[in-house]
Amino acid sequence: MKTLTIINELKMKHFKRLIVGLALVTGVTSCESLDVEPTGFYSDENFYKTIEDAEASILYAYDALTLVSYAPVTYYFTELASDNCDVKADEGPDAQAFVNWEVTAQNQLLTQYYRSIYIAVNRANAVIENIEGKGFNPEDEKRILGEALFLRAYNHFNAVKAFGLAPLQKSLIDKLDETTATLPVDMQEVYAFLIEDLTRAIDNLEVNRVTGRADKVAAQALLSKIYLFAASAKENGVPKYNAITESVDNLYAKSAEYAGMVLNNQGEYRHDMDLQNIYNVEAPNGPEHIFILSLDRSGTQEGDYSKLSKYFIPYIDGATVYLKNTDGTFSPTHDGWSVFQTSDKLFSSYAADDKRKTDLFVSEIYDQDEAAIGSVADGTVIYPFTRKYIDPLFEGDKTSTRPYLLRYSDIQLVYAEATANADGLAQYNQIRSRANATELASIGGLSKVDFRKLVVAERQRELAYEGDRLWDLRRTNTVQSNVTKAAGLSPEAVAFYPIPQREIDLNPNIN
C-alpha cells in the first residue's frame, strides 16, 4: 500500500534523527516504548529543516496509533467489558478482569493503554510546537498542523473515555522535569481543550482522503462525537459531567451541527449500500471510511501489519478454512485465538433476517472444495464470529485488517441521536434499511429520550466490534443495566477505569 510504503521509507530516512522526548505525561517511559533508540531530547536545531522532516514527524505521530499496546488493547476495554463479548476461559487474568469488572490500577493492559495514549500525544505535540514559522509552504504547514491537532484531540479523547480526569498534556515533554503534569480541574477544562484543538484542526484542514490520515471531515466527525459524549453524559448524570457549563440542549445541537457537516457538506464520503464492502480489506478507501489505520500484510513488523483478526476468529485446529460469501463464492481465512467471543445477548439482538447477522457473522465453515466441514450447531465453530476482520490474502498471521476508527454510518447515528427529530430518523432508517431491518415509520409518540435509546441500541448492532460499545454504555449511564457483572459497583467505578498505579507512583500530582 502506498501510504504504508511512504511511512516506512520516511521512518528509515528521518526517524533516526527524530527524538520526540519522553512519551509519558506522568513519568519516564522505557526506550522500548518509543520504538526508536533515543540518544537525546528533540531539538529544533537538528530537525524540521525541510518539509520531509515535517512529514516524517506527522507520520511518526500517526504510527503511535498502531502500537500493539494501543490499538489491539482498545478492544479489551470496549468489547470485553461490554455486553458484546465473552472471553476464552484460559485468557490471561488481566483480560478476565475486564469481563468480570474487576479491573484494578495494577492491570497491565490498562497500563499499556495509558502509556500508549501519552506516547501518541507527545508525538503530536512535537509537531504542533515545531511546524509553525519554519518557512514551509503555507498549505503544507496548515495541513500538517491540522492533522497534529486532530491526533492530540483523538488521543486525549481516548484518555477521558477510559480514565475520566486524566492529565492533559498540552505541550511537548522534552525535559525530565516536565513529566509530572497535574490533573485537569474538571470536565469543563477537558472538553474545552478537546473542542479548541478540533476547531483549529477543522480550520486548517481540507477534504483530502488518504488512507491512515485525517482530514477536515475526520475532524468534524470526531468533534460531533465529542459533543455527543458530553451531552449524553451530562444528561444521564455520569459522574463529573455536571461540571460542563454548556446546556445539554446546546451540546446536542453542536453535535448535530458537526455531524451534519459530515453528512451534507462534502462529497468524498458516503453511505455504502454493500455491507460486506465496508469490511473489505482491499478497499480501505471505501466510501464509509473517514479515518482508518494504515496497516498492511506486507509490513515487516506487527504494527505495520495487523493480527487483529486472530482475536475474533475461533481456533479451528490451526487450519485454513473457507467462508461462504453472499454471492456464493468462498473466501479463505486463517483460524484464530478465540479471544473475543460473541455474546448470546449481542447475537440474539439481531432479527433473523438482519443482514448484519446473516452476512457479517459466520456460523458455518467450509474446506477448499467448498464442502461444509463444521458449524456452530455441531460445536466445531465454538461461537458465531464476525466477518469484520477477515483477510482472504493473509500471510501466516500477517493481515491487512484494520480498526474502523471513524466511519460514515457511525456519524449518521450520531446525527440521529443528537437531533432526535425527523431528519435524524431518516439517517436511522437508512442504516436499518441497508440491514434489511424494519424501518421506523415515525417518531410521533416517542420522546427524544426514547428515540435516543433506540439509536443507542442500533449503534450496538451496527458498530459491534468496532470499539464503541462500552463508551456508549458509559455516556448513557447504562453499564450496570446491560452488564450483569458490573452490578454493585460505584458510579465512578463503572464510569472510569483507575489511572494505573505505576503512573500515580511516578507523578505526585496525580491523586
Side-chain angles (χ1 to χ4, degrees), residues 453-498:
K453 288 178 180 178
L454 292 179
V455 176
V456 172
E458 198 64 32
R459 288 180 62 83
Q460 181 182 24
R461 291 185 287 269
E462 179 66 24
L463 303 174
Y465 303 132
E466 297 183 34
D468 265 305
R469 180 58 175 168
L470 179 63
W471 309 144
D472 284 346
L473 294 179
R474 280 187 165 177
R475 67 180 175 80
T476 56
N477 209 359
T478 56
V479 171
Q480 289 170 309
S481 60
N482 285 279
V483 184
T484 303
K485 292 184 178 179
L489 297 178
S490 70
E492 288 77 12
V494 294
F496 314 114
Y497 289 125

Side-chain angles (χ1 to χ4, degrees), residues 186-188 230 233-235 237-246:
D186 55 23
M187 285 297 184
Q188 176 62 30
K234 183 173 181 178
E235 180 179 44
V238 175
K240 303 186 187 303
Y241 276 83
N242 61 350
I244 294 178
T245 56
E246 195 150 9

Side-chain angles (χ1 to χ4, degrees), residues 67-211:
L67 292 170
V68 295
S69 56
Y70 198 177
V73 173
T74 301
Y75 296 91
Y76 285 91
F77 287 31
T78 59
E79 304 299 337
L80 283 188
S82 77
D83 48 351
N84 280 353
C85 265
D86 300 312
V87 69
K88 68 176 180 178
D90 59 349
E91 189 69 2
D94 285 340
Q96 300 287 347
F98 284 100
V99 175
N100 295 324
W101 278 84
E102 296 173 346
V103 176
T104 70
Q106 285 76 32
N107 189 290
Q108 288 304 301
L109 290 169
L110 197 75
T111 301
Q112 290 172 25
Y113 188 77
Y114 185 97
R115 294 173 66 192
S116 297
I117 285 172
Y118 288 103
I119 290 172
V121 167
N122 208 48
R123 292 184 188 182
N125 278 331
V127 180
I128 292 166
E129 293 192 14
N130 290 286
I131 190 67
E132 293 182 285
K134 298 293 184 180
F136 300 137
N137 180 296
E139 287 75 20
D140 288 331
E141 180 181 305
K142 288 183 66 177
R143 172 179 52 81
I144 294 171
L145 178 60
E147 290 181 69
L149 288 164
F150 170 90
L151 288 173
R152 185 166 71 177
Y154 175 83
N155 290 295
H156 273 127
F157 189 40
N158 283 343
V160 73
K161 288 185 295 185
F163 302 103
L165 292 179
L168 294 176
Q169 185 56 43
K170 300 180 180 182
S171 60
L172 173 67
I173 297 174
D174 57 4
K175 297 178 182 177
L176 290 176
D177 61 3
E178 295 173 349
T179 62
T180 54
T182 58
L183 295 179
V185 173
D186 55 23
M187 285 297 184
Q188 176 62 30
E189 180 183 352
V190 172
Y191 276 84
F193 184 62
L194 297 177
I195 290 164
E196 180 183 5
D197 267 2
L198 284 171
T199 302
R200 290 178 63 198
I202 291 166
D203 289 343
N204 277 279
L205 293 169
E206 302 294 336
V207 180
N208 180 40
R209 178 201 287 272
V210 177
T211 299

Side-chain angles (χ1 to χ4, degrees), residues 421-432:
N421 62 17
D423 291 336
L425 175 64
Q427 300 296 331
Y428 170 85
N429 277 335
Q430 190 173 35
I431 300 294
R432 288 187 60 79

Side-chain angles (χ1 to χ4, degrees), residues 220-325:
Q220 291 166 338
L222 182 58
L223 188 50
S224 75
K225 295 191 72 168
I226 285 172
Y227 271 120
L228 182 70
F229 202 105
S232 182
K234 183 173 181 178
E235 180 179 44
N236 290 290
V238 175
K240 303 186 187 303
Y241 276 83
N242 61 350
I244 294 178
T245 56
E246 195 150 9
S247 72
V248 167
D249 286 345
N250 283 347
L251 293 167
Y252 275 127
K254 288 185 177 178
S255 175
E257 177 185 353
Y258 284 99
M261 291 178 186
V262 173
L263 304 183
N264 302 314
N265 293 3
Q266 54 81 35
E268 182 63 38
Y269 308 93
R270 58 180 170 78
H271 182 85
D272 192 337
M273 290 304 297
D274 185 342
L275 270 176
Q276 285 199 349
N277 186 59
I278 297 171
Y279 307 101
N280 178 357
V281 295
E282 296 301 291
N285 278 338
E288 288 263 341
H289 300 310
I290 296 173
F291 185 42
I292 187 170
L293 292 189
S294 182
L295 299 167
D296 190 87
R297 70 185 78 84
S298 65
T300 58
Q301 60 184 1
E302 190 175 358
D304 293 335
Y305 64 82
S306 170
K307 290 185 180 180
L308 187 57
S309 54
K310 302 289 284 188
Y311 290 89
F312 290 95
I313 303 173
Y315 178 76
I316 312 169
D317 295 330
T320 295
V321 297
Y322 288 77
L323 314 179
K324 191 172 184 178
N325 302 318

Side-chain angles (χ1 to χ4, degrees), residues 225 303 337 363 371:
K225 295 191 72 168
W337 297 328
S363 295

